[in-house]
């Protein structure tokens, strides 16, 4: 039986691994650090982790190489990718390649803890759903067919008029354990795929950034959701949508998202 | 070099042609002139000789020898006669103006005799031409013309008292008169000289005139073209040739100017996109390099902030560090936003507040250089939807630039804000344009004043090409990719599907020409006059909104100012006058940010007096 630690952080910058270690340690989480993907793969053979935080911009293998290798080895540990703002495309790509979530560098302690907590909670929910069978599958509602999702965070649904609706995944809402408020972008704002388009404050006071599934111009903000955050929690896929957007290039953006229809197969 | 010049070749060819034709003409002319002069002398000699003959005839019949001698001598005294003599049939000189000759025999081979005696048996009748001869008495002496006049036997001769001649004799003797040709020869030489002088001066004049004309019609414009090509090859694409001529070289000059104009535009765009591309790479590199240290600062400082909740004296300072680090993060983001032409994150904000915040960030630093910031902000300006971080960056950059322009001697930066409303004409940009089949007409390749143009396919008199419309509403200055006559009808199509954009039932209210129209979603139809030179455009939905509210900000410094030729360049990436001090990114980033806010930035400057940057942001985007 492998010994269990909470988090494995992989980054070629020692200052970052050290900072992450100290922040997580303060929260009572045990952290191991690796300065390369290769070292990390070695460590995975010795210990098991509840979460892996991996930088994308590393050398040999880079974050994607590590992600691929870890997926091949059927590690169940959720992997959160850390990436600079310069590589939003990378962030989106990592989510389709099996990463659980991503965090944009540079991040604050609170931003890091928010993503760590929601990923740990999300994994717990998914495990419960898998272990519990039918009854517990109600732990979260998966997104409906014909929807596309960006990781487990947000979804987009194309509308007939050429517009698209954007909303939050139920799993995301469940993982943050209670919504106390939204910070939404105003109408006419332009947004890009992977960019932060909303911030959700959890009941515990954590602020979670919501990455936008598609780029486009916001033409409508759901007033009902803005007025009452619980409306989103109640019906995240229909009445609880957040934005109506005119997408800039929907077809290209959709190719980088996960189809909810394929989730059900 | 000289030999290769067209002017030289042309002049030489003209001179050679003139030389040949004039020489032939002169030769023929001189010869005929000489001949006619000689003929005149011959005629004169013949008359003279006839006169002598008839003058002495009576005395001959009377055989008055002394009187004949006297007559001949007197006649000889005329200057135009060299010698008069009479020879008998056997060649003896009977009478002569030269007394010494009398009685001497003349050789039959002599000039005066061989005419008749050369062919063995003497010829008895000769015409005038055959009776004359031209010879020189001395080998180097002047020419002389001699004429012989045979004295034929007549009834009076054989019936005369002396009975000196029998009836059977045909020719009794010969009268030989010689005249000097010096005068005639002099005239001929004079005529020759005149012709040669005329020929030479004609050739010279012709060559000079041709050389002069070639110089002003060919050499100078060609030299101008050569200079222009050299200047253009040397990189000066703004160099133009004066287009004052209407001939082929004038056409060449015009098309040359046209070409350099196109070239310069193309180069500018290439340059711009090249710069933007390298800026993008640089930005991505900077972002990556700076992100890691920034992550260290942000994680540690935010971690400390969490850990020291019970130490309020630390909390304040740590909050500043975290806030400023987050701002740095936003700066890196905006740098990338600019590189990818991304859009700002806007929220309702008080621009005065943003300006004040930017001023307070740099104020202490500027105070070191004795530069003060004077605020002249209108408290009543409305809030606008802007990205506060980006705008703060804009003002910080403008303040630092202004302070650099002021220099160490110190000065004042004045920042003022005001609300104003402007009519939509000239300030509204056509950002979307589509044909009825929804093909986009926007062309990012060809930009007018840095903004993507509206591209239409145009056909006029068999020419087909593109017209690029200025995206600024009703500002004219469209760009015609093909030559278009402003009087001729022009057809306009969608470049993609060739659907006609001409409105059949409409005509331009200003000039009556055909009207084109395209959709600019979601703001309705844009119409415009198709005639080149007419700038009429109508955009009903924009016109309907009437004047738009803007917030105008002016950042004025009393620094060194910007030279006029630098003004158009200052918003280009990497254009810097600060040498090693600046990276040249500042103003182009500012331009990008302002543009992303649908705002405008312009600059007014006078070297030595200072510079004012004028920024306008729409209150409602």
């Amino acid at each position: 039986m492998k010994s269990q630690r909470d988090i494995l952080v992989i980054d070629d910058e020692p200052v970052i691994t050290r900072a992450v270690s100290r922040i997580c340690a303060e929260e009572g989480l045990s952290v191991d650090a690796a300065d390369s993907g290769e070292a990390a793969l070695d460590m995975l053979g010795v210990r098991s982790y509840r979460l892996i935080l991996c930088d994308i911009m590393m050398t040999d293998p880079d974050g994607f190489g590590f992600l691929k290798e870890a997926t091949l080895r059927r590690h169940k540990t959720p992997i959160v990718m850390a990436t600079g703002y310069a590589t939003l495309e990378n962030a989106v790509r990592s989510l389709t390649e099996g990463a659980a979530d991503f965090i944009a560098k540079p991040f604050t302690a609170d931003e890091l803890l928010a993503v760590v907590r929601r990923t740990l909670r999300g994994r717990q929910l998914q495990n419960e759903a898998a272990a519990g069978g039918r009854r517990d599958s109600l732990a979260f509602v998966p997104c409906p067919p014909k929807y596309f999702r960006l990781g487990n965070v947000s979804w987009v649904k194309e509308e007939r008029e050429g517009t698209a609706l954007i909303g939050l995944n139920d799993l995301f809402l469940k993982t943050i354990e209670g919504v106390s408020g939204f910070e939404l972008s105003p109408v006419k704002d332009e947004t890009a795929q992977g960019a932060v388009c909303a911030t959700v404050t959890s009941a515990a006071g954590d602020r979670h950034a919501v990455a936008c599934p598609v780029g486009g111009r916001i033409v409508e903000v759901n007033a009902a959701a803005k007025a009452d955050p619980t409306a989103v929690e109640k019906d995240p896929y229909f009445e609880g949508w957040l934005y109506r957007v005119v997408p800039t290039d929907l077809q290209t953006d959709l190719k980088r998202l996960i189809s909810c229809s394929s989730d059900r197969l | 070099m000289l030999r290769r010049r067209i002017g030289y070749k042309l002049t030489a060819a003209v001179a050679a042609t003139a030389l040949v034709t004039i020489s032939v003409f002169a030769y023929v002319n001189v010869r005929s002139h000489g001949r006619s002069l000689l003929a005149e002398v011959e005629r004169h000699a013949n008359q003279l000789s006839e006169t002598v003959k008839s003058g002495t005839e009576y005395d001959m019949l009377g055989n008055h020898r002394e009187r004949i001698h006297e007559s001949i001598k007197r006649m000889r005294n005329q200057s135009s006669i060299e010698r008069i003599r009479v020879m008998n049939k056997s060649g003896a000189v009977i009478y002569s103006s030269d007394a010494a000759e009398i009685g001497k025999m003349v050789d039959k081979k002599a000039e005066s005799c061989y005419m008749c005696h050369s062919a063995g048996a003497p010829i008895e009748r000769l015409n005038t031409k055959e009776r004359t001869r031209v010879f020189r008495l001395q080998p180097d002496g002047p020419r002389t013309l001699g004429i012989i006049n045979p004295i034929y036997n007549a009834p009076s001769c054989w019936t005369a008292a002396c009975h000196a001649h029998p009836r059977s004799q045909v020719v009794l003797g010969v009268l030989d008169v010689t005249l000097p040709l010096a005068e005639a020869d002099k005239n001929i030489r004079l005529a020759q000289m005149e012709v040669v002088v005329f020929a030479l001066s004609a050739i010279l004049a012709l060559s000079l005139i041709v050389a002069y004309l070639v110089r002003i019609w060919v050499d100078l414009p060609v030299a101008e073209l050569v200079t222009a090509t050299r200047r253009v090859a040397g990189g000066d694409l703004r160099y133009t040739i004066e287009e004052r001529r209407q001939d082929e070289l004038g056409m060449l000059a015009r098309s040359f100017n046209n070409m350099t104009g196109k070239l310069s535009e193309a180069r500018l765009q290439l340059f711009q996109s090249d710069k933007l591309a390298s800026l993008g790479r640089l930005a991505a590199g900077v972002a990556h390099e700076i992100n890691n240290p920034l992550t260290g600062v942000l994680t540690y400082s935010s971690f400390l902030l969490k850990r020291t909740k019970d130490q309020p004296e630390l909390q304040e300072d740590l909050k500043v560090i975290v806030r400023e680090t987050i701002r740095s993060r936003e700066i890196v983001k905006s740098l990338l936003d600019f590189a990818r032409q991304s859009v700002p994150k806007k929220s309702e904000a008080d621009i005065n507040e943003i300006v004040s915040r930017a001023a307070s960030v740099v104020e202490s630093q500027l105070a070191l250089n004795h530069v003060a910031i004077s605020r002249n902000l209108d408290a009543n300006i409305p809030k606008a939807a802007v990205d506060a971080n980006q705008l703060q960056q804009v003002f910080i950059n403008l303040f630092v630039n202004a302070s650099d322009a002021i220099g160490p001697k110190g000065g004042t930066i004045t920042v003022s804000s005001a609300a104003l409303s402007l009519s939509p004409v000239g300030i509204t940009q056509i950002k979307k344009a589509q044909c009825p089949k929804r093909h986009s007409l926007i062309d990012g390749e060809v930009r007018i004043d840095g903004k993507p143009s509206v591209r239409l396919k145009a056909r006029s008199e068999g020419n087909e090409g593109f017209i690029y419309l200025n995206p600024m509403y009703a500002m004219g200055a469209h760009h015609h990719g093909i030559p278009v006559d402003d009087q001729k009808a022009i057809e306009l199509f969608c470049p993609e599907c060739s659907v006609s954009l001409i409105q059949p039932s409409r005509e331009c209210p200003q000039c009556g020409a055909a009207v084109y129209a395209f959709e600019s979603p979601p703001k309705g139809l844009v119409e415009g006059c198709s005639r080149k030179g007419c700038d009429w455009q109508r955009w009903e939905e924009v016109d309907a909104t009437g004047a738009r509210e803007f917030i105008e900000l002016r950042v004025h410094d009393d620094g060194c100012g910007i030279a006029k030729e630098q003004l158009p360049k200052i918003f280009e990436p990497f254009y810097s006058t600060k040498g090693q001090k600046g990276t040249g990114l500042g103003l182009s980033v500012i331009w990008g940010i302002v543009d992303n806010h649908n705002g405008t930035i312009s600059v007014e400057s006078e070297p030595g007096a200072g510079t004012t940057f004028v920024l306008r942001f729409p209150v409602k985007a």
Side-chain angles (χ1 to χ4, degrees):
Chain A
M1 181 69 193
K2 289 189 222 171
S3 63
Q4 165 100 30
R5 305 274 285 189
D6 291 319
I7 294 169
L8 171 64
V9 53
I10 314 161
D11 201 308
D12 48 7
E13 285 275 325
V15 67
I16 294 171
T17 52
R18 218 172 309 138
V20 170
S21 304
R22 296 198 59 179
I23 291 165
C24 294
E26 189 74 7
E27 295 294 305
L29 297 163
S30 53
V31 180
D32 277 347
D35 59 2
S36 70
E38 212 169 321
L41 286 169
D42 289 345
M43 291 168 86
L44 279 177
V46 185
R47 281 177 172 163
S48 65
Y49 297 92
R50 293 168 63 206
L51 185 148
I52 298 168
L53 179 68
C54 178
D55 186 28
I56 287 184
M57 292 291 210
M58 297 187 301
T59 45
D60 208 28
D62 67 355
F64 287 111
F66 174 80
L67 189 62
K68 203 171 166 189
E69 192 59 32
T71 322
L72 276 178
R73 295 189 190 184
R74 295 177 182 280
H75 280 290
K76 294 281 184 210
T77 315
I79 301 172
V80 174
M81 306 304 286
T83 171
Y85 182 76
T87 49
L88 274 181
E89 297 82 1
N90 284 346
V92 176
R93 198 181 126 202
S94 68
L95 292 183
T96 59
E97 295 193 4
D101 213 330
F102 73 87
I103 182 166
K105 283 188 353 180
F107 44 79
T108 64
D110 288 332
E111 286 164 356
L112 172 68
L113 289 174
V115 76
V116 164
R117 285 196 196 114
R118 74 169 185 249
T119 310
L120 290 177
R121 175 77 183 133
R123 178 45 43 110
Q124 192 187 340
L125 286 173
Q126 281 172 315
N127 287 345
E128 277 170 18
R134 224 174 139 194
R135 183 182 57 86
D136 280 317
S137 68
L138 288 174
F140 67 93
V141 184
C143 59
K146 293 192 178 167
Y147 280 46
F148 288 82
R149 61 185 172 91
L150 178 71
N152 289 319
V153 178
S154 54
W155 55 259
V156 59
K157 178 182 180 279
E158 194 179 354
E159 289 186 305
R160 219 176 271 169
E161 296 78 16
T163 51
L165 285 182
I166 290 174
L168 298 173
N169 267 329
D170 192 42
L171 180 57
F172 173 80
L173 290 165
K174 291 289 190 315
T175 54
I176 65 174
E177 296 179 294
V179 179
S180 72
F182 289 119
E183 262 175 56
L184 298 177
S185 301
V187 169
K188 285 193 178 170
D189 241 20
E190 305 259 351
T191 178
Q193 189 178 38
V196 175
C197 62
T199 310
V200 183
T201 311
S202 70
D206 284 344
R207 288 160 53 82
H208 297 272
V210 176
C212 199
V214 289
R217 198 160 70 108
I218 298 171
V219 290
E220 193 180 348
V221 178
N222 188 355
K226 207 173 177 181
D228 178 16
T230 54
V232 178
E233 286 186 278
K234 275 180 202 146
D235 189 4
Y237 298 117
F238 299 98
E239 293 301 316
W241 57 272
L242 293 184
Y243 299 118
R244 176 168 280 129
V245 297
V246 176
T248 16
D249 188 356
L250 188 65
Q251 295 317 314
T252 314
D253 282 354
L254 288 185
K255 282 180 199 147
R256 302 198 198 106
L257 298 175
I258 303 157
S259 161
C260 296
S261 312
S262 65
D263 282 352
R264 313 203 146 218
L265 296 173
Chain B
M1 184 60 216
L2 184 72
R3 279 162 184 279
R4 291 192 199 145
R5 290 175 59 169
I6 291 184
Y8 175 82
K9 286 188 201 167
L10 211 56
T11 312
V14 168
T17 316
L19 186 71
V20 170
T21 50
I22 292 179
S23 300
V24 169
F25 167 75
Y27 177 74
V28 171
N29 193 19
V30 163
R31 281 233 347 199
S32 82
H33 189 65
R35 266 205 302 272
S36 64
L37 266 177
L38 212 59
E40 181 63 21
V41 174
E42 264 171 25
R43 198 184 58 77
H44 172 66
N46 194 35
Q47 246 174 20
L48 202 66
S49 116
E50 286 297 327
T51 311
V52 171
K53 205 163 104 177
S54 54
T56 53
E57 192 179 3
Y58 183 75
D59 286 332
M60 293 246 190
L61 286 176
N63 204 20
H64 303 130
R65 292 195 169 223
E66 282 312 309
R67 285 172 65 166
I68 296 171
H69 272 301
E70 196 54 31
S71 297
I72 288 176
K73 242 155 87 183
R74 282 191 186 176
M75 282 181 221
R76 155 66 186 86
N77 284 346
Q78 281 181 353
S79 65
S80 63
I81 299 176
E82 177 94 31
R83 186 176 66 179
I84 305 174
R85 56 183 181 176
V86 178
M87 285 158 280
N88 69 7
K89 186 107 171 41
S90 53
V93 175
I94 305 164
Y95 306 107
S96 175
S97 55
D98 184 2
E101 252 189 342
I102 300 176
K104 285 189 178 165
M105 291 295 289
V106 176
D107 182 7
K108 281 185 183 157
K109 296 271 179 275
E111 303 90 12
S112 40
C113 308
Y114 76 84
M115 300 284 184
C116 307
H117 292 283
S118 58
I123 300 165
E124 289 169 348
R125 296 207 173 264
L126 285 173
N127 60 24
T128 322
K129 189 125 195 85
E130 284 160 331
R131 287 189 280 119
T132 56
R133 67 204 189 274
V134 174
F135 64 98
R136 290 175 202 277
L137 286 175
Q138 278 89 41
D140 53 349
R143 291 202 303 163
T144 312
L145 180 124
I147 183 158
I148 48 167
N149 202 350
I151 305 167
Y152 297 108
N153 205 357
S156 53
C157 293
W158 66 78
T159 57
C162 59
H163 305 289
H165 302 292
R167 191 180 176 166
S168 58
Q169 214 172 346
V170 177
V171 176
L172 302 182
V174 173
L175 172 67
D176 179 22
V177 180
T178 46
L179 307 175
L181 276 178
E183 190 69 17
D185 279 351
K186 205 174 122 198
N187 281 340
I188 291 174
R189 270 199 305 279
L190 216 61
Q192 273 175 341
M193 282 287 276
E194 269 172 13
V195 167
V196 167
V197 166
F198 160 77
L200 286 179
S201 40
I203 292 167
L204 191 69
L206 206 60
S207 307
L208 285 178
I209 290 169
V210 168
Y212 174 72
L213 292 181
V214 164
R215 184 161 169 72
I216 57 167
W217 287 343
V218 180
D219 276 3
L220 288 180
V222 166
E224 233 175 306
L225 272 165
V226 169
T227 316
T229 48
R230 290 213 181 109
R231 292 283 291 269
V232 170
D236 182 6
L237 287 182
R238 279 173 307 166
Y239 189 85
T240 52
I241 306 170
E242 242 185 280
E243 297 175 1
R244 58 181 185 278
R245 310 172 59 91
Q246 295 302 320
D247 56 13
E248 291 90 332
L249 284 168
M251 273 163 63
L252 185 59
R254 272 190 291 283
S255 63
F256 180 87
N257 285 345
N258 194 9
M259 182 191 75
T260 47
K262 294 262 164 67
L263 210 60
S264 126
E265 264 171 47
R267 185 177 74 159
L268 196 68
Q269 274 161 23
L270 201 68
F271 199 49
Q272 200 76 297
S273 60
D274 203 38
K275 273 183 172 176
L276 284 174
S278 37
L279 175 63
R281 282 197 295 277
L282 180 79
V286 166
H288 178 62
E289 289 304 320
I290 241 172
N291 253 344
N292 280 338
L294 216 52
T295 309
V297 176
L298 192 56
T299 44
Y300 271 100
S301 55
S302 57
F303 177 51
L304 271 179
L305 192 63
K306 277 174 82 73
R307 279 184 59 187
T308 54
K309 287 218 165 95
D310 49 345
Q311 289 164 275
E313 72 282 4
L314 276 180
Q315 284 274 303
E316 279 310 302
D317 295 345
L318 280 170
K319 268 184 189 158
V320 173
I321 297 177
V322 171
R323 194 186 69 215
E324 291 305 299
T325 316
I326 287 176
R327 221 187 84 212
S328 310
R329 173 170 82 175
E330 295 302 314
I331 292 168
V332 171
K333 272 190 194 178
S334 59
L335 190 65
L336 282 153
D337 277 345
F338 173 73
R340 340 162 171 204
Q341 302 284 313
S342 174
V343 276
K345 287 190 65 180
K346 293 176 199 161
S347 57
E348 289 276 302
D350 181 353
I351 293 188
N352 282 342
E353 207 174 282
I354 297 171
V355 172
S356 296
R357 212 160 57 218
S360 55
V361 170
V362 290
E363 228 158 17
S364 53
Q365 186 195 335
L366 299 193
L368 293 175
N369 292 336
H370 313 291
V371 174
I373 299 179
S374 144
R375 297 173 176 80
N376 185 11
L377 305 174
D378 178 355
N380 295 322
I381 61 168
K383 287 193 170 189
V386 293
D387 184 316
N389 266 311
Q390 286 195 348
L391 239 51
Q392 184 175 341
Q393 198 54 38
V394 165
F395 289 108
I396 289 177
N397 269 309
L398 287 177
F399 293 150
V400 171
N401 282 343
S403 159
D404 287 342
I406 288 169
K409 67 181 195 309
T412 313
I413 300 169
T414 313
V415 52
S416 53
S417 66
L420 79 164
S421 61
L422 294 171
S423 115
V425 168
I427 54 157
T428 316
Q429 184 185 346
I430 303 169
K431 289 191 171 173
K432 282 185 184 165
Q434 24 178 257
C435 78
K437 292 189 180 171
R438 296 202 169 190
H439 295 116
S440 174
L441 306 171
I442 295 291
D443 186 350
E445 304 273 306
V446 176
R447 285 164 182 262
I448 297 176
D449 281 340
K451 298 175 189 73
S453 60
V454 179
R455 186 173 68 139
L456 309 178
K457 190 160 88 179
R459 194 182 298 144
S460 175
E461 296 189 296
N463 286 332
E464 198 172 282
F466 295 110
I467 287 182
Y468 302 92
L469 301 178
N470 187 349
M472 293 313 288
Y473 173 43
M475 281 300 273
H478 307 308
H479 188 108
H480 290 73
I482 53 165
V484 175
D485 190 327
D486 54 13
Q487 300 304 328
K488 295 283 160 45
I490 183 165
E491 294 172 90
L492 296 168
F493 308 92
C494 166
E496 205 124 332
C497 63
S498 293
V499 63
S500 174
L501 300 172
I502 298 290
Q503 301 280 89
S505 54
R506 306 263 295 124
E507 54 182 44
C508 171
Q510 275 179 18
C511 67
V515 166
Y516 63 80
F518 52 82
E519 194 82 23
S520 180
K523 291 186 191 161
L525 216 58
V526 180
E527 296 172 304
C529 179
S530 66
R531 190 174 69 85
K532 185 183 180 183
C534 179
D535 293 338
W536 179 82
Q537 272 187 330
R538 180 185 328 210
W539 193 355
E540 243 165 71
E541 284 201 32
V542 167
D543 287 341
T545 59
R548 291 177 70 200
E549 298 298 311
F550 282 83
I551 295 168
E552 184 180 84
L553 294 128
R554 302 175 81 92
V555 178
H556 171 79
D557 68 67
D558 49 8
C560 59
I562 303 167
K564 211 171 183 174
E565 59 272 16
Q566 289 176 349
L567 278 179
K569 298 188 194 164
I570 60 169
F571 293 110
E572 289 178 15
F574 299 112
Y575 180 78
S576 177
T577 51
K578 298 183 195 168
Q580 293 295 313
K581 253 173 90 187
T583 58
L585 270 180
L587 280 173
S588 69
V589 174
I590 288 174
W591 188 87
I593 292 174
V594 173
D595 192 53
N596 283 336
H597 280 84
N598 297 320
T600 59
I601 179 165
S602 57
V603 62
E604 299 160 5
S605 185
E606 202 169 304
T611 305
T612 309
F613 281 92
V614 182
L615 294 86
R616 284 175 184 162
F617 295 100
V619 173
K620 290 188 177 64

